[in-house]
Amino acid sequence: MKNQLFFFICLFPLLLVAQQILPENERARVVDEILEDRFNNLLPNLMDKTGIDMWILISREYNEDPVLRTMLPAKWLNARRRTILVFYRDKKNNTIDKLAVARYNVGKSINSAWDKEKEPNQWKRLMELIEERSPSKIGLNFSQDHNIADGLDKTDYDAFMANLPKKYKSSVVSAEQLAVRWIETRTERELVIYNQLVEITHDIITEAFSEKVITPGITTTTEVEWWMRQKVTDLGLETWFHPTIDVQRTSEELVSHLYSFSGRPNDMVILPGDLLHCDFGITYLRLNTDCQELAYVLKSEEKNAPEFLVKGLKDGNRVQDFLTSNMVKGKTGNEILAKSLADAKAAGLRPSIYTHPLGLYGHSAGTTIGMWDSQGGVMKDDGENYPLNPNTVYAIELNTTITIPEWKRDIRIMLEEAGFYGEDGFRYVNGRQTELLLIPRVKSHQDN
């Protein structure tokens, strides 16, 4: 009986996380319900705002348009043959047609509008649907400025234009604004789910940065990375990038930002006195997280992290505050970046800001607020002129450089947390790190 109780106590933290995660059939139900809500309630509004009354998405199996991928039902892991989706918005009658020029219905929301036995030519049937509705603007997914909105390949574009009646050719426009708004906009239900996703992400990081995973002097950074990756798999989740763990310590020199992404030494043994940093995210219910947190490995005589690291984290939080206070509806990413950097520097900080949209993709479409190698502002093809819109989620990703006399060197305080921007302003989806995680956790009932 004691052994069973001990096993349950050890398993309990895993159960707390696992019980939140749905089995595959329930995930499919939720994904399809969210899609139906987005098609029926969000999409008509977005089409009205962007002035496109017909949106046509064309994809072939295994070469899917990034936007069309987000519209496929849970049971469709890929498009089938050539899949053509047609959305027609009749604003006057407040209706939206959701049609598929395909052999099958595309989930519950999009009905097949092609009988191949009656009309063998798929392109001809598409043109019949266009003629029947006579749209004023036909949006296609091609874009120079937004990669996710550039999913129509040349073969299908050429075939579409070759078959399109001459009177409609001048109606064809880029659907980039509509495509980006579809990708970036979160519904109320998605935001509720997002809170859970970020909580799961935080829980995994908290466990990874603990004595349950890390034994100083033995465990390596690479082992922690693979532990996190395995944890995600064991929970039935996915990750959209491989986790990274890096170390800053007294004997290391400050290196370039690339250190966190490539060129990092593998299998560094984690030692007392190390400042650990992780970059980690998960994918669940078609949404993505992206989080960076910090932990300190206590020396034998310590019960708390050194005050200079505690202060460094507070400086990182201050840079976050400067950024999020400057997130204003209608401002472009470059405008927000310039003002935030100026404010932080005026306060004596040394900031770097590289915040990106987060949602149906990890590096998603929307307002880009800097890149680590573009602190003067991003170029046009990265969405320079794209304004901040409400009901959007961002990875608030940044760092500040601090000088540590005790270590005789500079270090970076690198942070990343999911944040929501709504009509009432900014908030963190599931909080942010304001205290360093300690390894091992201090046991208050014992003298260190």
Side-chain angles (χ1 to χ4, degrees):
M1 182 65 181
K2 289 182 178 179
N3 289 337
Q4 290 177 332
L5 179 61
F6 178 78
F7 177 77
F8 179 79
I9 291 171
C10 292
L11 190 61
F12 188 63
L14 178 61
L15 292 174
L16 283 177
V17 175
Q19 69 183 357
Q20 304 173 54
I21 298 169
L22 298 173
E24 289 288 354
N25 64 324
E26 287 297 302
R27 295 187 210 187
R29 174 183 61 81
V30 172
V31 165
D32 288 345
E33 288 174 358
I34 290 172
L35 267 180
E36 192 170 357
D37 175 43
R38 289 176 64 86
F39 285 137
N40 294 329
N41 299 311
L42 175 63
L43 184 56
N45 178 261
L46 297 181
M47 294 183 75
D48 291 347
K49 286 183 176 179
T50 55
I52 292 175
D53 55 343
M54 180 172 280
W55 191 14
I56 299 176
L57 299 92
I58 308 169
S59 259
R60 281 175 289 167
E61 198 167 358
Y62 307 129
N63 189 35
E64 288 81 3
D65 178 318
V67 178
L68 184 139
R69 284 188 66 89
T70 70
M71 296 175 166
L72 298 177
K75 291 181 181 179
W76 284 44
L77 304 184
N78 303 94
R80 298 178 182 175
R81 301 181 182 178
R82 176 180 279 109
T83 296
I84 302 175
L85 304 183
V86 178
F87 301 100
Y88 175 68
R89 171 64 172 160
D90 185 339
K91 188 174 181 181
K92 181 179 179 181
N93 294 310
N94 194 27
T95 60
I96 183 167
D97 295 339
K98 303 179 292 294
L99 306 170
V101 188
R103 297 277 284 174
Y104 325 91
N105 293 336
V106 181
K108 296 179 181 178
S109 299
I110 305 174
N111 296 321
S112 173
W114 180 37
D115 185 339
K116 191 175 181 180
E117 280 62 48
K118 291 183 179 179
E119 174 49 71
N121 190 311
Q122 188 179 22
W123 292 110
K124 185 175 180 181
R125 178 55 183 149
L126 173 60
M127 299 309 145
E128 290 174 354
L129 294 173
I130 294 173
E131 290 275 18
E132 290 167 6
R133 287 157 181 79
S134 190
S136 58
K137 280 191 179 180
I138 301 172
L140 300 179
N141 284 358
F142 57 86
S143 172
Q144 180 179 337
D145 297 341
H146 301 273
N147 58 320
I148 289 177
D150 193 37
L152 178 61
D153 65 40
K154 186 177 186 303
T155 299
D156 286 331
Y157 175 80
D158 288 347
F160 177 83
M161 295 304 292
N163 283 277
L164 186 68
K166 185 177 180 180
K167 64 180 178 180
Y168 291 110
K169 291 187 186 294
S170 62
S171 300
V172 175
V173 299
S174 168
E176 61 181 4
Q177 295 293 312
L178 176 55
V180 172
R181 292 299 297 272
W182 168 265
I183 293 292
E184 74 171 354
T185 307
R186 304 275 69 79
T187 63
E188 287 187 23
R189 188 172 181 186
E190 285 176 304
L191 281 174
V192 172
I193 292 170
Y194 232 125
N195 182 72
Q196 179 195 3
L197 261 78
V198 180
E199 182 176 16
I200 294 170
T201 305
H202 285 161
D203 287 347
I204 294 173
I205 293 173
T206 300
E207 187 174 359
F209 278 165
S210 77
E211 61 272 24
K212 295 178 183 178
V213 176
I214 296 174
T215 301
I218 297 176
T219 309
T220 68
T221 52
T222 302
E223 288 172 334
V224 180
E225 292 170 356
W226 281 111
W227 180 91
M228 297 176 90
R229 184 78 176 268
Q230 188 65 51
K231 180 77 170 185
V232 171
T233 300
D234 291 345
L235 290 172
L237 301 173
E238 295 178 349
T239 183
W240 59 280
F241 65 96
H242 185 72
T244 62
I245 304 291
D246 57 81
V247 172
Q248 294 182 93
R249 56 172 61 134
T250 57
S251 60
E252 302 290 334
E253 293 184 4
L254 185 65
V255 292
S256 75
H257 287 81
L258 273 173
Y259 179 85
S260 296
F261 306 103
S262 65
R264 232 174 32 262
N266 293 322
D267 294 315
M268 286 188 68
V269 176
I270 296 169
L271 300 172
D274 283 348
L275 179 66
L276 302 184
H277 163 263
C278 72
D279 194 352
F280 173 68
I282 64 172
T283 302
Y284 179 46
L285 298 174
R286 294 194 176 174
L287 296 172
N288 295 274
T289 65
D290 197 358
C291 186
Q292 296 179 43
E293 293 195 350
L294 299 167
Y296 177 72
V297 186
L298 293 169
K299 297 178 181 179
S300 59
E301 70 277 10
E302 293 177 322
K303 292 186 179 179
N304 298 291
E307 186 58 33
F308 55 80
L309 293 181
V310 173
K311 181 181 180 298
L313 178 56
K314 289 181 180 178
D315 285 345
N317 291 151
R318 290 173 66 199
V319 178
Q320 290 174 326
D321 293 340
F322 283 121
L323 169 59
T324 58
S325 66
N326 283 309
M327 294 177 73
V328 178
K329 180 180 178 180
K331 294 288 186 181
T332 66
N334 281 355
E335 291 173 326
I336 297 168
L337 174 68
K339 182 69 164 58
S340 302
L341 289 175
D343 290 348
K345 289 176 182 177
L349 300 168
R350 290 185 282 169
S352 178
I353 295 172
Y354 33 97
T355 285
H356 59 85
L358 187 65
L360 295 170
Y361 290 94
H363 292 154
S364 200
T367 306
T368 298
I369 307 173
M371 293 183 178
W372 66 265
D373 56 352
S374 299
Q375 289 298 284
V378 298
M379 301 299 290
K380 185 177 179 183
D381 59 359
D382 293 314
E384 173 188 10
N385 299 314
Y386 193 78
L388 184 69
N389 290 310
N391 302 320
T392 49
V393 173
Y394 300 87
I396 304 300
E397 185 177 9
L398 46 77
N399 75 65
T400 188
T401 301
I402 64 172
T403 299
I404 302 179
E406 293 85 347
W407 286 6
K408 298 179 181 179
R409 59 163 295 192
D410 286 349
I411 69 167
R412 289 193 184 94
I413 300 296
M414 296 174 282
L415 300 170
E416 186 172 19
E417 295 286 1
F420 169 70
Y421 181 77
E423 294 289 357
D424 298 326
F426 176 87
R427 66 172 173 82
Y428 287 98
V429 171
N430 187 256
R432 63 172 173 171
Q433 183 179 23
T434 57
E435 295 182 5
L436 292 167
L437 291 165
L438 299 179
I439 306 168
R441 304 290 189 265
V442 175
K443 299 177 177 65
S444 59
H445 65 288
Q446 293 179 339
D447 186 1
N448 198 49

